[in-house]
Amino acid sequence: VLFCLIPKYGWSGISIALLIGAMAFEWNMPMRGLIRDAAVKKAEVGCITVNIDYLAESVFAAASILIACAGVLGRTSLEQLVILMFFGIPFYNFNGWVCDQIGFSDTGGTIIIHAFGAFFGFGCSWVLGHDSSHSMKRRGSDEGNYHTNIFALLGTILLWIYYPSFNGYLVTGVAKFRACFNTQLALMAAAVTSIILSDLKEDLKKNMMIHMQTGVLAGGVTLGTLADHPIEPWGAMLLGSVGATVCVLGIRFVTPFLEEKLNVHDTCDCMALHGIPAFISVFASCISFAVADKDKADEYDYAVAYDAGICGKNIACIFVTAALATVFGVFTGGIMGMFSRDDHWYDSSAHFD
């Protein structure tokens, strides 16, 4: 539903989200088995075991690819987005394998899902933005109107309700309760903070609906890496507020900077919502590990929690992910540029008559 934000691109946005999400889900199943799991489990080709966790991992992979698609939404053809998905899924799993080798703790997938998707989309958009042949006959507005904002906000509310189960899926027992509980508090704080910030100044207020569609979710992203940590309710709410603040200010300052200085157009403000909060989440997890009580290791439900080098490993993983995703995005963007592009930007008439 979030992809229907652009007034004249709603039909295309929804159909693209359905198609790319479904294809990414299917394509991830063999790619994960051949690239990530085979290296870990030494499985033979053709021996991929599919279970409920495998399906959930495919949902996560599809989410990462949709984040990347959101960055170039409206300026690319369906064929180009299929290319993005086709290359993005193997690269996503390769990055996951690299992070597995480093060793990291990422409960909600903030590093390998959100950061990868944001920086992969950034790389693709950078190449397309510098491609002189990437032009259009007519450019519609990418500013939402009353009706599209209502539909996009409904999609935000669905994600807002769903987010605690997203962050808590990979853990069990008390850790699952804590991940869902902390995420819920962070989302509540993010909603309050983003709305209040948007109402403070006139130049922020004009983008208030965008802030409500993104800032209210930023708390879940910011909390993701340490969702199951015993950080106390005030800690979860603080992270939610920080994430919302960074997202709102990112939309105001970072998104225009990317377009004006780097020719990177970020249609759905993915860097502000997913990329930057991912770094904050990782550094917050390092603080949590550093101040943790070593006599209460069972509260973390993971032996890795008290690995002496876990902070360094998490930091290494977020920087490696950002670097690999950007490089892979630049490569994929170059391939996308070889395929046909829509003659109308932000207009469904390229696909629908």
Side-chain angles (χ1 to χ4, degrees):
V1 182
L2 291 172
F3 275 34
C4 72
L5 175 65
I6 304 173
K8 294 184 178 180
Y9 204 70
W11 290 355
S12 293
I14 293 295
S15 59
I16 284 170
L18 286 172
L19 177 66
I20 299 301
M23 293 181 70
F25 181 94
E26 296 174 326
W27 187 222
N28 182 72
M29 296 174 76
M31 287 297 99
R32 180 180 175 86
L34 294 174
I35 297 174
R36 191 172 180 183
D37 289 348
V40 175
K41 301 177 182 178
K42 308 300 181 183
E44 298 178 1
V45 175
C47 297
I48 299 174
T49 302
V50 178
N51 52 31
I52 187 64
D53 291 333
Y54 215 85
L55 298 182
E57 292 286 353
S58 293
V59 171
F60 298 154
S64 185
I65 298 304
L66 287 174
I67 291 170
C69 288
V72 296
L73 185 68
R75 302 180 297 117
T76 45
S77 66
L78 185 59
E79 292 80 7
Q80 288 178 313
L81 292 178
V82 170
I83 292 298
L84 185 152
M85 180 281 306
F86 182 82
F87 286 99
I89 288 295
F91 291 149
Y92 168 87
N93 282 286
F94 176 77
N95 178 72
W97 174 79
V98 171
C99 290
D100 288 339
Q101 303 309 301
I102 296 174
F104 70 121
S105 176
D106 185 21
T107 305
T110 294
I111 298 174
I112 60 174
I113 298 174
H114 297 279
F116 181 87
F119 282 93
F120 187 69
F122 171 87
C124 293
S125 186
W126 183 84
V127 173
L128 296 176
H130 287 79
D131 182 1
S132 60
S133 65
H134 188 70
S135 60
M136 67 289 187
K137 295 178 182 177
R138 182 179 68 199
R139 176 170 181 165
S141 173
D142 61 345
E143 296 289 336
N145 61 27
Y146 181 85
H147 298 290
T148 60
N149 276 321
I150 288 293
F151 279 109
L153 187 57
L154 288 174
T156 297
I157 292 174
L158 291 175
L159 282 174
W160 195 65
I161 296 171
Y162 160 72
Y163 221 115
S165 61
F166 184 96
N167 273 356
Y169 180 81
L170 294 177
V171 289
T172 59
V174 176
K176 181 181 289 291
F177 165 76
R178 190 182 294 115
C180 294
F181 178 76
N182 287 339
T183 302
Q184 190 68 59
L185 289 178
L187 291 170
M188 296 289 184
V192 173
T193 302
S194 60
I195 294 172
I196 290 177
L197 281 177
S198 298
D199 205 43
L200 288 179
K201 295 185 64 178
E202 191 64 32
D203 61 339
L204 289 176
K205 186 180 295 187
K206 67 181 181 180
N207 290 322
M208 188 168 183
M209 284 303 300
I210 302 298
H211 299 157
M212 290 180 66
Q213 293 155 12
T214 55
V216 300
L217 298 175
V221 179
T222 308
L223 191 75
T225 305
L226 65 160
D228 63 330
H229 289 203
I231 56 176
E232 301 296 337
W234 66 266
M237 297 178 70
L238 175 62
L239 282 174
S241 297
V242 170
T245 302
V246 168
C247 184
V248 169
L249 296 179
I251 293 172
R252 174 63 179 84
F253 298 106
V254 176
T255 300
F257 172 82
L258 293 178
E259 181 159 17
E260 294 170 8
K261 303 298 183 181
L262 302 179
N263 287 344
V264 176
H265 183 80
D266 190 352
T267 304
C268 295
D269 300 295
C270 295
M271 190 59 68
L273 172 57
H274 302 279
I276 300 174
F279 276 86
I280 296 175
S281 182
V282 168
F283 290 120
S285 73
C286 293
I287 295 174
S288 176
F289 284 130
V291 302
D293 187 348
K294 301 298 188 292
D295 296 328
K296 299 180 179 179
D298 59 321
E299 289 190 355
Y300 281 81
D301 203 33
Y302 282 118
V304 71
Y306 289 104
D307 180 346
I310 191 61
C311 294
K313 292 176 180 178
N314 269 10
I315 293 174
C317 280
I318 187 66
F319 279 101
V320 167
T321 295
L324 286 178
T326 302
V327 171
F328 290 151
V330 169
F331 171 80
T332 304
I335 301 297
M336 291 168 65
M338 301 177 185
F339 287 78
S340 63
R341 50 189 63 82
D342 289 345
D343 56 356
H344 295 171
W345 282 12
Y346 314 121
D347 192 334
S348 288
S349 62
H351 296 291
F352 297 92
D353 187 357

